[in-house]
């Protein structure tokens, strides 16, 4: 976003509040942040701080309860959770983005609240200190953004539907209120809308798709923001960063242990069917002159059925190269599997024998 985008967003945000019959927040509390992640955290913190100021007597009770939780929680359990979280998010990514995200969150929270005398640094440090009760407060604040969240440019499908009638069909309606929503979807990213503030995320600086317009990138994040936060996907399937950035660490155990069937299919594709058949110790279920059929049962998904065939054309050194091809799970013979790869049925498959 540039300054023209930000000014257009200020006008659109004020228009949205007024269209809903609400008083818009002042300009200084229409806050711009570098990514949706910052918006989510800052929005949750700011909403909590506004609530705490409106309920000062309740605040002491909440603090006392929070402290009791900190003391009662098993530290060893939390350390294990911390370790698992860091592994899941990738230590390098965590270190690269934490400082930028923390500073932006602190600044956005300050701008959105206009509250003095509250130890915002102490609140934001909970993600760095990993005190159990405080971390719970962090997660609850972040989760609270759900009811205040609008996807902005990431929810393009909704405004595109109505905008079609405005710009393409030219349906003669009054769009004076709608245009604020449309502008906000075009000029800015996701936003948090609260009676006292509005936090608007920047648009991503990187956004890649495959030939079917699905989120996709095989050597980096498909979506990345300027603070370093990012998302990864392969042909529309959201995957962990390491599967894209370090696929060499993928193991058979990772594949068999993955509970999400779509992610497991991506893992299999990146690992290679031929390699998986070999490394997993899959047993053949049928073999004939056309090839060998292997079958592996997968929890929560259809079985993996692969036919292993030999290339009829020898390599330059006279050796033969083998290939493994995935086929439908209901195929039971190698010939039927090979026939399927040529778009034929087993009875009609009559390969030409080279002599």
């Amino acid at each position: 976003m540039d300054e023209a985008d930000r000014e257009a967003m200020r006008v659109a945000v004020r228009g949205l509040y007024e269209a809903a019959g609400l008083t818009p927040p002042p300009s200084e509390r229409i806050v711009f942040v570098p990514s949706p992640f910052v918006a989510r955290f800052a929005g949750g913190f700011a909403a909590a701080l506004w609530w705490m100021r409106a309920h000062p007597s309740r605040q002491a009770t909440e603090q006392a309860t929070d402290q009791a939780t900190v003391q009662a929680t098993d530290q060893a359990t939390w350390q294990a959770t911390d370790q698992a979280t860091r592994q899941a998010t990738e230590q390098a990514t965590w270190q690269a983005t934490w400082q930028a995200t923390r500073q932006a969150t602190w600044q956005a929270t300050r701008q959105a609240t206009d509250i003095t005398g509250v130890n915002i640094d102490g609140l934001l440090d909970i993600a760095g200190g990993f005190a159990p009760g405080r971390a719970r407060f962090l997660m609850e604040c972040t989760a609270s953004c759900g009811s205040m969240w609008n996807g902005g440019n990431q929810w393009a499908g909704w405004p595109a539907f109505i905008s079609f009638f405005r710009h393409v069909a030219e349906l003669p309606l009054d769009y004076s209120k709608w245009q604020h929503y449309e502008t906000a979807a075009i000029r800015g990213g996701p936003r948090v809308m609260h009676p006292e503030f509005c936090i608007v995320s920047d648009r991503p600086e990187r956004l890649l798709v495959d030939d079917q317009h699905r989120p996709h990138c095989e050597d980096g994040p498909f979506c990345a923001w300027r603070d370093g936060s990012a998302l990864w996907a392969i042909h529309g399937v959201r995957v962990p960063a390491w599967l894209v950035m370090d696929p060499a660490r993928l193991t058979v155990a990772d594949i068999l242990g993955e509970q999400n069937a779509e992610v497991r299919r991506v893992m299999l594709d990146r690992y290679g069917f031929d390699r998986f058949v070999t490394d997993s110790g899959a047993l053949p279920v049928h073999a004939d002159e056309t090839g060998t059929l292997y079958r592996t049962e997968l929890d929560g998904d259809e079985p993996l059925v692969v036919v292993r065939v030999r290339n009829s054309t020898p390599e330059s050194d006279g050796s033969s190269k083998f290939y493994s091809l995935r086929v439908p799970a209901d195929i039971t013979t190698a010939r039927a599997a090979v026939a399927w790869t040529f778009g034929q049925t087993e009875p009609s498959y009559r390969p030409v024998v080279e002599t």
Side-chain angles (χ1 to χ4, degrees):
M1 297 173 67
D2 56 23
E3 185 52 39
D5 289 320
R6 287 187 282 273
E7 183 53 36
M9 281 299 304
R10 293 185 187 100
V11 174
V13 166
R14 287 192 289 268
L16 285 169
Y17 278 83
E18 290 169 353
L22 302 173
T23 301
S27 293
E28 63 271 18
R29 291 208 297 269
I30 300 176
V31 183
F32 297 93
V33 297
S35 72
F37 300 92
V38 173
R40 194 95 184 185
F41 282 103
F45 283 138
L49 291 172
W50 277 104
W51 186 92
M52 288 161 64
R53 186 169 72 169
H55 303 82
S57 60
R58 178 77 176 271
Q59 181 178 348
T61 302
E62 291 288 332
Q63 289 175 340
T65 302
D66 186 65
Q67 184 61 32
T69 304
V70 172
Q71 295 172 350
T73 303
D74 182 0
Q75 189 64 26
T77 302
W78 178 253
Q79 289 174 349
T81 304
D82 172 27
Q83 182 179 3
T85 302
R86 286 179 179 269
Q87 290 175 348
T89 58
E90 290 302 307
Q91 185 71 19
T93 303
W94 179 280
Q95 292 174 347
T97 61
W98 169 244
Q99 287 300 325
T101 302
R102 180 187 185 282
Q103 181 61 29
T105 303
W106 184 94
Q107 182 178 356
T109 304
R110 280 284 189 196
Q111 289 180 260
T113 56
D114 287 342
I115 295 177
T116 59
V118 176
N119 183 11
I120 295 181
D121 263 339
L123 290 175
L124 296 182
D125 278 340
I126 59 182
F130 288 106
R134 292 178 180 177
R136 182 199 64 194
F137 175 72
L138 168 78
M139 292 299 102
E140 289 177 352
C141 287
T142 305
S144 73
C145 273
S147 59
M148 303 182 289
W149 190 262
N150 184 281
N153 75 316
Q154 294 186 347
W155 287 3
W158 292 103
F161 178 77
I162 299 180
S163 291
F164 167 82
F165 293 101
R166 181 185 184 190
H167 300 291
V168 180
E170 297 184 346
L171 195 65
L173 299 174
D174 179 8
Y175 296 98
S176 59
K177 295 182 178 180
W178 161 252
Q179 70 180 8
H180 300 303
Y181 192 100
E182 183 182 74
T183 298
I186 295 172
R187 306 299 285 266
R191 60 187 180 271
V192 176
M193 305 188 72
H194 183 276
E196 301 292 347
F197 64 85
C198 180
I199 297 178
V200 182
S201 167
D202 199 357
R203 297 189 299 258
E205 63 178 359
R206 172 188 176 96
L207 190 60
L208 302 175
V209 297
D210 63 12
D211 57 358
Q212 296 183 40
H213 303 288
R214 297 173 298 185
H216 174 74
C217 184
E218 295 191 1
D219 58 5
F222 81 89
C223 185
W225 288 266
R226 57 190 171 91
D227 64 353
S229 53
L231 302 171
W232 286 261
I234 300 293
H235 296 300
V237 178
R238 290 281 297 275
V239 296
W242 67 263
L243 188 56
V244 175
M245 304 305 294
D246 189 19
R249 66 177 262 192
L250 183 61
T251 67
V252 170
D254 292 329
I255 297 171
L256 294 177
E258 176 57 51
Q259 296 301 304
N260 185 299
E262 290 186 335
V263 174
R264 186 193 294 130
R265 292 181 191 122
V266 173
M267 287 180 166
L268 281 166
D269 185 63
R270 291 182 78 79
Y271 194 84
F273 295 124
D274 191 61
R275 182 182 167 203
F276 180 79
V277 167
T278 301
D279 294 352
S280 66
L283 298 177
V285 295
H286 182 264
D288 58 27
E289 72 282 2
T290 63
T292 304
L293 192 70
Y294 295 85
R295 182 184 179 93
T296 303
E297 301 296 330
L298 300 174
D299 291 339
D301 195 8
E302 65 179 14
L304 173 67
V305 179
V306 173
V307 63
R308 196 162 190 252
V309 297
R310 181 176 62 86
N311 189 1
S312 59
T313 303
E315 300 296 305
S316 58
D317 61 359
S319 64
S320 296
K321 192 169 185 178
F322 288 85
Y323 296 92
S324 291
L325 306 171
R326 187 171 189 176
V327 298
D330 59 352
I331 289 180
T332 58
T333 69
R335 176 176 287 274
V338 174
W340 180 87
T341 67
F342 288 101
Q344 299 183 31
T345 62
E346 183 175 5
S348 64
Y349 178 60
R350 295 289 184 271
V352 176
V353 179
E354 296 184 359
T355 59

